Amino acid sequence: MTWTSDELMTVNAARALAGARTCFVGIGLPSAAANLARRTIEPRLVLIYESGTLGSKPSRLPLSIGDGELADTADAVVSVPEIFNYWLQAGRIDVGFLGAAQVDRFANVNTTVIDRGPGRPEGRLPGAGGAPEIAASCGKVLLVLRHSTRNLVGKLDFVTTVGHGDGPGSRARLGLPGAGPVAVITDLGILRPDPETAELTLTDVHPGTTPDQAVAATGWPLAVAADLRVTEPPTEAELTALRRLAQGAPDA
Amino acid sequence: MAEIRSLRDAVAGLVHSGDTVAMEGFTHLIPFAAAHEMIRQRVTDLTLVRMTPDVIYDQLIGMGAARKLVFSWGGNPGVGSLHRFRDAVENGWPRPLELDEHSHAGMANRYVAGASRLPFAVLRGYRGSDLPSRSETISTVVCPFTGEELAAVAAINPDVTVIHAQRADRDGNVQLWGLVGVQKEAALAASRVLVTVEEIVDDLTPAPGAVVLPSWTVDAVAVAPNGAHPSYAAGYTVRDNGFYQSWDAVSRDRDTFLRWMDEHVLEEAR
């Protein structure tokens, strides 16, 4: 089978959920990946959406976090204050899965405004949503976004959500309980924070991608891990499940 | 006690120009019919409060009804940008829009404080974020028991909260279920409460997970069947995802947007 770069990204994002019990799911790319994980590598994964659903089992990919099916198939539906206070803030959720507009070398995220240069108004993005507290309180965080110098930038125009702040020790100083971002999955490969410097480093490339391509598509001098790996090609089962999801087809 | 009124009378009686208005419904039960009636009645200079502005506030903002927006996520869910919201913020069209911007956790807790009639709420939030630098309603407080520094967010107490629910009884007791969002908190935080419903029934039979707002917490109930469209009312209607997708093209261009509003919202009054 052949595949697209977006499929490589989503398949690898789903694989990153192996071993997770509970996942707070952002809409868009994270939702596609989390639903794919539930159909492939982690069938018992509990999907939690900020609209207040615990344990959603949608048969097709929801367009929004409010699609009725998320509530209809959930183990429990709670109010929005409850989902953020009792479930997220209380540290009950293993993995936070987020998309982003801009990410910097310490995996901090901007989803608020883009600086378009002198004399031009700031470009408006949707804003924070649940991200600042999801990234603070989940056990760990996964980010998924397309790889480009526009998205992976040297300096954020605005810090909406803290990843590793300004480097090692930053999260502890800020009092952020979770471990923060452990992987950024893109359509070219996977970036992980270096254990010493907390700086995002290219640890994996997808089949058919060179490390130079990833470096060229990154807005800071991207370090490449000495033991750079190549991700396993998508399996037929993964691609079939993903395409069924993307087409809005019900569960096989 | 809630009065059962026509939507036109209820909006005229409860929603005034210059008010702070919260219209809640977290992706479900969004009170579109009430917003359209507000647009027809030319209510203006509003401070609009809502966690997820959605297409409903894109329409109010694009029609010039708002001077300020208090929110936490302003996109078209699963589709992309809210173009009227962006045009107002970036270019001041049709008028400048002041922002007070939060995270979802912050907004939810602001409503909780408002409903509790407390001046503020505490949460572990905003740590390291630039958001507090742009908001007057985010600060910090030190826990008197542990010494931990926590985020403090100012209570929201709207002049009026508007929500849509599945049904009410003839006494004006209101029942809603499914994704119940933050509507209970938004209603109990407000000075006045307007609820549109799919139908009025003789008896409110219990529904799993339902929220009931007793009649004495509500000022007016108005029947507005399909009043959440293109959002939905669980058990009555389904979300019109096609509408949300088509709104992208309608709202991208100022004239196309104005023509659409004229044809689909304003014309009903003529």
Side-chain angles (χ1 to χ4, degrees), chain B residues 124-169:
Chain B
R124 282 199 193 90
Y126 301 104
R127 286 174 172 172
S129 171
D130 287 341
L131 282 166
S133 71
R134 292 199 180 192
S135 173
E136 302 280 302
T137 52
I138 308 170
S139 187
T140 57
V141 65
V142 175
C143 170
F145 304 106
T146 64
E148 183 180 0
E149 187 179 277
L150 296 157
V153 286
I156 294 176
N157 289 107
D159 295 312
V160 54
T161 285
V162 180
I163 60 171
H164 186 74
Q166 277 95 343
R167 59 196 184 192
D169 66 16

mmCIF file of all heavy atoms in Angstrom, chain B residues 124-169:
data_model
loop_
_atom_site.group_PDB
_atom_site.id
_atom_site.type_symbol
_atom_site.label_atom_id
_atom_site.label_comp_id
_atom_site.label_asym_id
_atom_site.label_seq_id
_atom_site.Cartn_x
_atom_site.Cartn_y
_atom_site.Cartn_z
ATOM 1 N N ARG B 124 -5.663 25.905 39.350
ATOM 2 C CA ARG B 124 -4.286 25.819 38.883
ATOM 3 C C ARG B 124 -4.343 26.074 37.390
ATOM 4 O O ARG B 124 -4.699 25.177 36.632
ATOM 5 C CB ARG B 124 -3.702 24.435 39.144
ATOM 6 C CG ARG B 124 -3.298 24.214 40.563
ATOM 7 C CD ARG B 124 -2.330 23.053 40.697
ATOM 8 N NE ARG B 124 -2.241 22.723 42.110
ATOM 9 C CZ ARG B 124 -3.043 21.845 42.715
ATOM 10 N NH1 ARG B 124 -3.936 21.171 42.035
ATOM 11 N NH2 ARG B 124 -2.929 21.637 44.001
ATOM 12 N N GLY B 125 -4.058 27.291 37.017
ATOM 13 C CA GLY B 125 -4.193 27.609 35.608
ATOM 14 C C GLY B 125 -3.261 28.735 35.184
ATOM 15 O O GLY B 125 -2.711 29.440 36.036
ATOM 16 N N TYR B 126 -3.124 28.879 33.877
ATOM 17 C CA TYR B 126 -2.412 29.998 33.245
ATOM 18 C C TYR B 126 -0.929 30.051 33.593
ATOM 19 O O TYR B 126 -0.262 31.036 33.295
ATOM 20 C CB TYR B 126 -3.049 31.343 33.643
ATOM 21 C CG TYR B 126 -4.506 31.491 33.281
ATOM 22 C CD1 TYR B 126 -5.496 31.383 34.258
ATOM 23 C CD2 TYR B 126 -4.899 31.762 31.973
ATOM 24 C CE1 TYR B 126 -6.838 31.546 33.941
ATOM 25 C CE2 TYR B 126 -6.227 31.931 31.645
ATOM 26 C CZ TYR B 126 -7.202 31.813 32.639
ATOM 27 O OH TYR B 126 -8.521 31.983 32.330
ATOM 28 N N ARG B 127 -0.391 29.012 34.246
ATOM 29 C CA ARG B 127 1.001 29.113 34.706
ATOM 30 C C ARG B 127 1.962 29.183 33.523
ATOM 31 O O ARG B 127 2.005 28.281 32.702
ATOM 32 C CB ARG B 127 1.331 27.916 35.603
ATOM 33 C CG ARG B 127 0.676 28.049 36.963
ATOM 34 C CD ARG B 127 0.871 26.815 37.809
ATOM 35 N NE ARG B 127 0.393 27.060 39.178
ATOM 36 C CZ ARG B 127 0.292 26.128 40.114
ATOM 37 N NH1 ARG B 127 0.633 24.894 39.864
ATOM 38 N NH2 ARG B 127 -0.151 26.435 41.315
ATOM 39 N N GLY B 128 2.716 30.267 33.452
ATOM 40 C CA GLY B 128 3.694 30.458 32.391
ATOM 41 C C GLY B 128 3.106 30.984 31.095
ATOM 42 O O GLY B 128 3.828 31.291 30.158
ATOM 43 N N SER B 129 1.794 31.101 31.027
ATOM 44 C CA SER B 129 1.141 31.574 29.809
ATOM 45 C C SER B 129 1.192 33.095 29.729
ATOM 46 O O SER B 129 1.221 33.777 30.758
ATOM 47 C CB SER B 129 -0.314 31.094 29.794
ATOM 48 O OG SER B 129 -1.027 31.709 28.737
ATOM 49 N N ASP B 130 1.188 33.644 28.501
ATOM 50 C CA ASP B 130 1.109 35.095 28.315
ATOM 51 C C ASP B 130 -0.317 35.623 28.493
ATOM 52 O O ASP B 130 -0.527 36.838 28.465
ATOM 53 C CB ASP B 130 1.585 35.476 26.897
ATOM 54 C CG ASP B 130 3.095 35.341 26.742
ATOM 55 O OD1 ASP B 130 3.801 35.304 27.769
ATOM 56 O OD2 ASP B 130 3.564 35.273 25.584
ATOM 57 N N LEU B 131 -1.302 34.733 28.636
ATOM 58 C CA LEU B 131 -2.702 35.203 28.700
ATOM 59 C C LEU B 131 -2.935 36.226 29.816
ATOM 60 O O LEU B 131 -3.613 37.231 29.578
ATOM 61 C CB LEU B 131 -3.660 34.016 28.860
ATOM 62 C CG LEU B 131 -3.929 33.221 27.579
ATOM 63 C CD1 LEU B 131 -4.607 31.896 27.914
ATOM 64 C CD2 LEU B 131 -4.780 34.019 26.604
ATOM 65 N N PRO B 132 -2.394 36.035 31.043
ATOM 66 C CA PRO B 132 -2.668 37.025 32.090
ATOM 67 C C PRO B 132 -2.204 38.439 31.723
ATOM 68 O O PRO B 132 -2.775 39.417 32.212
ATOM 69 C CB PRO B 132 -1.895 36.489 33.300
ATOM 70 C CG PRO B 132 -1.803 35.016 33.065
ATOM 71 C CD PRO B 132 -1.670 34.875 31.573
ATOM 72 N N SER B 133 -1.194 38.556 30.844
ATOM 73 C CA SER B 133 -0.681 39.883 30.491
ATOM 74 C C SER B 133 -1.690 40.687 29.685
ATOM 75 O O SER B 133 -1.557 41.893 29.543
ATOM 76 C CB SER B 133 0.623 39.753 29.709
ATOM 77 O OG SER B 133 0.351 39.233 28.403
ATOM 78 N N ARG B 134 -2.707 40.024 29.149
ATOM 79 C CA ARG B 134 -3.681 40.744 28.324
ATOM 80 C C ARG B 134 -5.059 40.796 28.968
ATOM 81 O O ARG B 134 -6.027 41.189 28.312
ATOM 82 C CB ARG B 134 -3.813 40.065 26.960
ATOM 83 C CG ARG B 134 -2.555 40.190 26.118
ATOM 84 C CD ARG B 134 -2.875 39.924 24.661
ATOM 85 N NE ARG B 134 -1.682 40.051 23.838
ATOM 86 C CZ ARG B 134 -1.696 40.099 22.517
ATOM 87 N NH1 ARG B 134 -2.835 40.009 21.871
ATOM 88 N NH2 ARG B 134 -0.590 40.220 21.838
ATOM 89 N N SER B 135 -5.187 40.367 30.197
ATOM 90 C CA SER B 135 -6.507 40.325 30.816
ATOM 91 C C SER B 135 -6.479 40.972 32.194
ATOM 92 O O SER B 135 -5.554 40.751 32.977
ATOM 93 C CB SER B 135 -6.984 38.879 30.941
ATOM 94 O OG SER B 135 -8.181 38.827 31.689
ATOM 95 N N GLU B 136 -7.494 41.761 32.476
ATOM 96 C CA GLU B 136 -7.647 42.375 33.799
ATOM 97 C C GLU B 136 -8.340 41.430 34.770
ATOM 98 O O GLU B 136 -8.494 41.764 35.949
ATOM 99 C CB GLU B 136 -8.521 43.640 33.684
ATOM 100 C CG GLU B 136 -7.991 44.695 32.737
ATOM 101 C CD GLU B 136 -6.914 45.525 33.382
ATOM 102 O OE1 GLU B 136 -7.195 46.137 34.425
ATOM 103 O OE2 GLU B 136 -5.772 45.536 32.853
ATOM 104 N N THR B 137 -8.819 40.298 34.291
ATOM 105 C CA THR B 137 -9.642 39.427 35.131
ATOM 106 C C THR B 137 -8.917 38.134 35.508
ATOM 107 O O THR B 137 -9.528 37.176 35.946
ATOM 108 C CB THR B 137 -10.981 39.109 34.428
ATOM 109 O OG1 THR B 137 -10.703 38.612 33.117
ATOM 110 C CG2 THR B 137 -11.863 40.332 34.330
ATOM 111 N N ILE B 138 -7.589 38.126 35.300
ATOM 112 C CA ILE B 138 -6.758 36.996 35.748
ATOM 113 C C ILE B 138 -5.716 37.543 36.708
ATOM 114 O O ILE B 138 -5.002 38.481 36.372
ATOM 115 C CB ILE B 138 -6.025 36.301 34.580
ATOM 116 C CG1 ILE B 138 -6.992 35.923 33.462
ATOM 117 C CG2 ILE B 138 -5.266 35.067 35.084
ATOM 118 C CD1 ILE B 138 -6.290 35.454 32.181
ATOM 119 N N SER B 139 -5.648 36.961 37.894
ATOM 120 C CA SER B 139 -4.617 37.358 38.840
ATOM 121 C C SER B 139 -4.156 36.126 39.608
ATOM 122 O O SER B 139 -4.378 35.001 39.154
ATOM 123 C CB SER B 139 -5.183 38.436 39.779
ATOM 124 O OG SER B 139 -4.154 38.948 40.596
ATOM 125 N N THR B 140 -3.507 36.323 40.740
ATOM 126 C CA THR B 140 -3.081 35.179 41.545
ATOM 127 C C THR B 140 -3.504 35.402 42.991
ATOM 128 O O THR B 140 -3.764 36.523 43.409
ATOM 129 C CB THR B 140 -1.548 34.988 41.521
ATOM 130 O OG1 THR B 140 -0.949 36.194 41.978
ATOM 131 C CG2 THR B 140 -1.046 34.645 40.136
ATOM 132 N N VAL B 141 -3.575 34.305 43.729
ATOM 133 C CA VAL B 141 -3.911 34.373 45.138
ATOM 134 C C VAL B 141 -3.088 33.283 45.831
ATOM 135 O O VAL B 141 -2.813 32.241 45.238
ATOM 136 C CB VAL B 141 -5.443 34.183 45.343
ATOM 137 C CG1 VAL B 141 -5.895 32.795 44.916
ATOM 138 C CG2 VAL B 141 -5.857 34.461 46.771
ATOM 139 N N VAL B 142 -2.683 33.556 47.062
ATOM 140 C CA VAL B 142 -1.891 32.573 47.799
ATOM 141 C C VAL B 142 -2.815 31.803 48.741
ATOM 142 O O VAL B 142 -3.571 32.399 49.510
ATOM 143 C CB VAL B 142 -0.762 33.263 48.587
ATOM 144 C CG1 VAL B 142 -0.021 32.251 49.463
ATOM 145 C CG2 VAL B 142 0.200 33.950 47.631
ATOM 146 N N CYS B 143 -2.748 30.487 48.672
ATOM 147 C CA CYS B 143 -3.571 29.660 49.542
ATOM 148 C C CYS B 143 -3.170 29.901 50.998
ATOM 149 O O CYS B 143 -2.000 29.759 51.351
ATOM 150 C CB CYS B 143 -3.398 28.183 49.186
ATOM 151 S SG CYS B 143 -4.172 27.100 50.405
ATOM 152 N N PRO B 144 -4.140 30.268 51.861
ATOM 153 C CA PRO B 144 -3.791 30.554 53.253
ATOM 154 C C PRO B 144 -3.414 29.302 54.045
ATOM 155 O O PRO B 144 -2.885 29.392 55.140
ATOM 156 C CB PRO B 144 -5.070 31.173 53.817
ATOM 157 C CG PRO B 144 -6.165 30.652 52.956
ATOM 158 C CD PRO B 144 -5.569 30.442 51.594
ATOM 159 N N PHE B 145 -3.674 28.128 53.498
ATOM 160 C CA PHE B 145 -3.404 26.879 54.224
ATOM 161 C C PHE B 145 -2.080 26.244 53.816
ATOM 162 O O PHE B 145 -1.377 25.684 54.640
ATOM 163 C CB PHE B 145 -4.549 25.890 53.995
ATOM 164 C CG PHE B 145 -5.886 26.482 54.390
ATOM 165 C CD1 PHE B 145 -6.796 26.878 53.429
ATOM 166 C CD2 PHE B 145 -6.204 26.672 55.722
ATOM 167 C CE1 PHE B 145 -8.007 27.437 53.785
ATOM 168 C CE2 PHE B 145 -7.413 27.241 56.097
ATOM 169 C CZ PHE B 145 -8.321 27.622 55.130
ATOM 170 N N THR B 146 -1.769 26.313 52.516
ATOM 171 C CA THR B 146 -0.565 25.629 52.029
ATOM 172 C C THR B 146 0.504 26.593 51.504
ATOM 173 O O THR B 146 1.639 26.189 51.292
ATOM 174 C CB THR B 146 -0.918 24.685 50.861
ATOM 175 O OG1 THR B 146 -1.394 25.484 49.770
ATOM 176 C CG2 THR B 146 -1.986 23.687 51.269
ATOM 177 N N GLY B 147 0.128 27.828 51.248
ATOM 178 C CA GLY B 147 1.072 28.775 50.668
ATOM 179 C C GLY B 147 1.214 28.662 49.163
ATOM 180 O O GLY B 147 1.964 29.407 48.542
ATOM 181 N N GLU B 148 0.478 27.733 48.538
ATOM 182 C CA GLU B 148 0.571 27.577 47.079
ATOM 183 C C GLU B 148 -0.030 28.797 46.380
ATOM 184 O O GLU B 148 -1.090 29.280 46.763
ATOM 185 C CB GLU B 148 -0.189 26.318 46.638
ATOM 186 C CG GLU B 148 -0.080 26.048 45.132
ATOM 187 C CD GLU B 148 -0.827 24.794 44.677
ATOM 188 O OE1 GLU B 148 -1.433 24.117 45.540
ATOM 189 O OE2 GLU B 148 -0.807 24.518 43.472
ATOM 190 N N GLU B 149 0.674 29.286 45.364
ATOM 191 C CA GLU B 149 0.113 30.374 44.566
ATOM 192 C C GLU B 149 -0.788 29.795 43.484
ATOM 193 O O GLU B 149 -0.394 28.900 42.740
ATOM 194 C CB GLU B 149 1.235 31.198 43.925
ATOM 195 C CG GLU B 149 0.691 32.439 43.233
ATOM 196 C CD GLU B 149 1.791 33.291 42.611
ATOM 197 O OE1 GLU B 149 2.404 34.085 43.336
ATOM 198 O OE2 GLU B 149 2.010 33.149 41.391
ATOM 199 N N LEU B 150 -2.002 30.301 43.441
ATOM 200 C CA LEU B 150 -2.992 29.789 42.491
ATOM 201 C C LEU B 150 -3.503 30.925 41.623
ATOM 202 O O LEU B 150 -3.417 32.096 42.003
ATOM 203 C CB LEU B 150 -4.171 29.177 43.266
ATOM 204 C CG LEU B 150 -3.824 27.955 44.119
ATOM 205 C CD1 LEU B 150 -4.835 27.762 45.225
ATOM 206 C CD2 LEU B 150 -3.715 26.716 43.242
ATOM 207 N N ALA B 151 -4.051 30.552 40.465
ATOM 208 C CA ALA B 151 -4.676 31.574 39.626
ATOM 209 C C ALA B 151 -6.014 31.967 40.239
ATOM 210 O O ALA B 151 -6.739 31.123 40.774
ATOM 211 C CB ALA B 151 -4.888 31.045 38.214
ATOM 212 N N ALA B 152 -6.309 33.261 40.178
ATOM 213 C CA ALA B 152 -7.616 33.774 40.590
ATOM 214 C C ALA B 152 -8.260 34.399 39.359
ATOM 215 O O ALA B 152 -7.610 35.137 38.619
ATOM 216 C CB ALA B 152 -7.458 34.823 41.683
ATOM 217 N N VAL B 153 -9.514 34.063 39.127
ATOM 218 C CA VAL B 153 -10.228 34.650 37.991
ATOM 219 C C VAL B 153 -11.501 35.311 38.514
ATOM 220 O O VAL B 153 -12.188 34.764 39.379
ATOM 221 C CB VAL B 153 -10.582 33.588 36.918
ATOM 222 C CG1 VAL B 153 -9.334 33.191 36.149
ATOM 223 C CG2 VAL B 153 -11.254 32.371 37.519
ATOM 224 N N ALA B 154 -11.774 36.506 37.989
ATOM 225 C CA ALA B 154 -12.921 37.278 38.466
ATOM 226 C C ALA B 154 -14.227 36.588 38.085
ATOM 227 O O ALA B 154 -14.347 36.003 37.000
ATOM 228 C CB ALA B 154 -12.884 38.682 37.859
ATOM 229 N N ALA B 155 -15.206 36.653 38.979
ATOM 230 C CA ALA B 155 -16.528 36.092 38.696
ATOM 231 C C ALA B 155 -17.138 36.763 37.474
ATOM 232 O O ALA B 155 -16.896 37.940 37.207
ATOM 233 C CB ALA B 155 -17.444 36.300 39.893
ATOM 234 N N ILE B 156 -17.934 35.996 36.734
ATOM 235 C CA ILE B 156 -18.779 36.573 35.681
ATOM 236 C C ILE B 156 -20.207 36.597 36.199
ATOM 237 O O ILE B 156 -20.746 35.553 36.587
ATOM 238 C CB ILE B 156 -18.728 35.737 34.389
ATOM 239 C CG1 ILE B 156 -17.339 35.793 33.768
ATOM 240 C CG2 ILE B 156 -19.770 36.240 33.385
ATOM 241 C CD1 ILE B 156 -17.189 34.910 32.536
ATOM 242 N N ASN B 157 -20.813 37.773 36.217
ATOM 243 C CA ASN B 157 -22.231 37.908 36.560
ATOM 244 C C ASN B 157 -22.920 38.705 35.457
ATOM 245 O O ASN B 157 -23.021 39.924 35.511
ATOM 246 C CB ASN B 157 -22.405 38.605 37.919
ATOM 247 C CG ASN B 157 -21.975 37.713 39.070
ATOM 248 O OD1 ASN B 157 -20.934 37.913 39.683
ATOM 249 N ND2 ASN B 157 -22.761 36.676 39.350
ATOM 250 N N PRO B 158 -23.400 37.994 34.435
ATOM 251 C CA PRO B 158 -23.999 38.693 33.292
ATOM 252 C C PRO B 158 -25.280 39.420 33.698
ATOM 253 O O PRO B 158 -25.956 39.016 34.648
ATOM 254 C CB PRO B 158 -24.333 37.560 32.313
ATOM 255 C CG PRO B 158 -23.586 36.358 32.806
ATOM 256 C CD PRO B 158 -23.414 36.543 34.268
ATOM 257 N N ASP B 159 -25.597 40.489 32.979
ATOM 258 C CA ASP B 159 -26.924 41.097 33.154
ATOM 259 C C ASP B 159 -27.993 40.089 32.763
ATOM 260 O O ASP B 159 -29.019 39.992 33.409
ATOM 261 C CB ASP B 159 -27.052 42.357 32.275
ATOM 262 C CG ASP B 159 -26.106 43.448 32.712
ATOM 263 O OD1 ASP B 159 -26.064 43.738 33.926
ATOM 264 O OD2 ASP B 159 -25.383 43.988 31.848
ATOM 265 N N VAL B 160 -27.723 39.372 31.689
ATOM 266 C CA VAL B 160 -28.690 38.376 31.233
ATOM 267 C C VAL B 160 -27.972 37.180 30.638
ATOM 268 O O VAL B 160 -26.964 37.332 29.942
ATOM 269 C CB VAL B 160 -29.722 38.991 30.244
ATOM 270 C CG1 VAL B 160 -29.047 39.673 29.088
ATOM 271 C CG2 VAL B 160 -30.709 37.951 29.751
ATOM 272 N N THR B 161 -28.443 35.996 30.986
ATOM 273 C CA THR B 161 -27.958 34.771 30.348
ATOM 274 C C THR B 161 -29.088 34.198 29.499
ATOM 275 O O THR B 161 -30.246 34.149 29.940
ATOM 276 C CB THR B 161 -27.483 33.747 31.396
ATOM 277 O OG1 THR B 161 -26.217 34.173 31.917
ATOM 278 C CG2 THR B 161 -27.312 32.357 30.788
ATOM 279 N N VAL B 162 -28.722 33.796 28.293
ATOM 280 C CA VAL B 162 -29.685 33.218 27.354
ATOM 281 C C VAL B 162 -29.229 31.802 27.025
ATOM 282 O O VAL B 162 -28.079 31.600 26.620
ATOM 283 C CB VAL B 162 -29.755 34.054 26.058
ATOM 284 C CG1 VAL B 162 -30.769 33.454 25.087
ATOM 285 C CG2 VAL B 162 -30.088 35.505 26.363
ATOM 286 N N ILE B 163 -30.111 30.826 27.219
ATOM 287 C CA ILE B 163 -29.772 29.444 26.864
ATOM 288 C C ILE B 163 -30.955 28.789 26.136
ATOM 289 O O ILE B 163 -32.082 29.307 26.176
ATOM 290 C CB ILE B 163 -29.396 28.587 28.101
ATOM 291 C CG1 ILE B 163 -30.554 28.512 29.095
ATOM 292 C CG2 ILE B 163 -28.147 29.137 28.772
ATOM 293 C CD1 ILE B 163 -30.334 27.518 30.230
ATOM 294 N N HIS B 164 -30.649 27.678 25.478
ATOM 295 C CA HIS B 164 -31.692 26.881 24.832
ATOM 296 C C HIS B 164 -31.760 25.543 25.568
ATOM 297 O O HIS B 164 -30.720 25.006 25.970
ATOM 298 C CB HIS B 164 -31.355 26.657 23.357
ATOM 299 C CG HIS B 164 -32.437 25.966 22.569
ATOM 300 N ND1 HIS B 164 -33.597 26.619 22.201
ATOM 301 C CD2 HIS B 164 -32.539 24.705 22.088
ATOM 302 C CE1 HIS B 164 -34.373 25.765 21.514
ATOM 303 N NE2 HIS B 164 -33.743 24.593 21.439
ATOM 304 N N ALA B 165 -32.969 25.016 25.771
ATOM 305 C CA ALA B 165 -33.135 23.746 26.467
ATOM 306 C C ALA B 165 -34.116 22.888 25.693
ATOM 307 O O ALA B 165 -34.850 23.380 24.823
ATOM 308 C CB ALA B 165 -33.648 23.989 27.887
ATOM 309 N N GLN B 166 -34.143 21.612 26.039
ATOM 310 C CA GLN B 166 -35.083 20.729 25.342
ATOM 311 C C GLN B 166 -36.527 21.102 25.657
ATOM 312 O O GLN B 166 -37.357 21.207 24.781
ATOM 313 C CB GLN B 166 -34.825 19.259 25.697
ATOM 314 C CG GLN B 166 -33.704 18.621 24.879
ATOM 315 C CD GLN B 166 -32.365 18.662 25.582
ATOM 316 O OE1 GLN B 166 -32.172 19.435 26.536
ATOM 317 N NE2 GLN B 166 -31.417 17.845 25.132
ATOM 318 N N ARG B 167 -36.849 21.279 26.957
ATOM 319 C CA ARG B 167 -38.254 21.538 27.248
ATOM 320 C C ARG B 167 -38.465 22.209 28.596
ATOM 321 O O ARG B 167 -37.569 22.253 29.438
ATOM 322 C CB ARG B 167 -39.046 20.231 27.193
ATOM 323 C CG ARG B 167 -38.563 19.182 28.161
ATOM 324 C CD ARG B 167 -39.110 17.810 27.776
ATOM 325 N NE ARG B 167 -38.720 16.810 28.761
ATOM 326 C CZ ARG B 167 -38.852 15.502 28.593
ATOM 327 N NH1 ARG B 167 -39.351 15.014 27.468
ATOM 328 N NH2 ARG B 167 -38.485 14.667 29.541
ATOM 329 N N ALA B 168 -39.662 22.748 28.738
ATOM 330 C CA ALA B 168 -40.102 23.336 30.002
ATOM 331 C C ALA B 168 -41.530 22.868 30.245
ATOM 332 O O ALA B 168 -42.233 22.455 29.313
ATOM 333 C CB ALA B 168 -40.051 24.854 29.931
ATOM 334 N N ASP B 169 -41.933 22.918 31.524
ATOM 335 C CA ASP B 169 -43.353 22.631 31.792
ATOM 336 C C ASP B 169 -44.143 23.950 31.817
ATOM 337 O O ASP B 169 -43.577 25.027 31.617
ATOM 338 C CB ASP B 169 -43.520 21.791 33.066
ATOM 339 C CG ASP B 169 -43.113 22.540 34.328
ATOM 340 O OD1 ASP B 169 -42.997 23.789 34.278
ATOM 341 O OD2 ASP B 169 -42.903 21.867 35.371
#
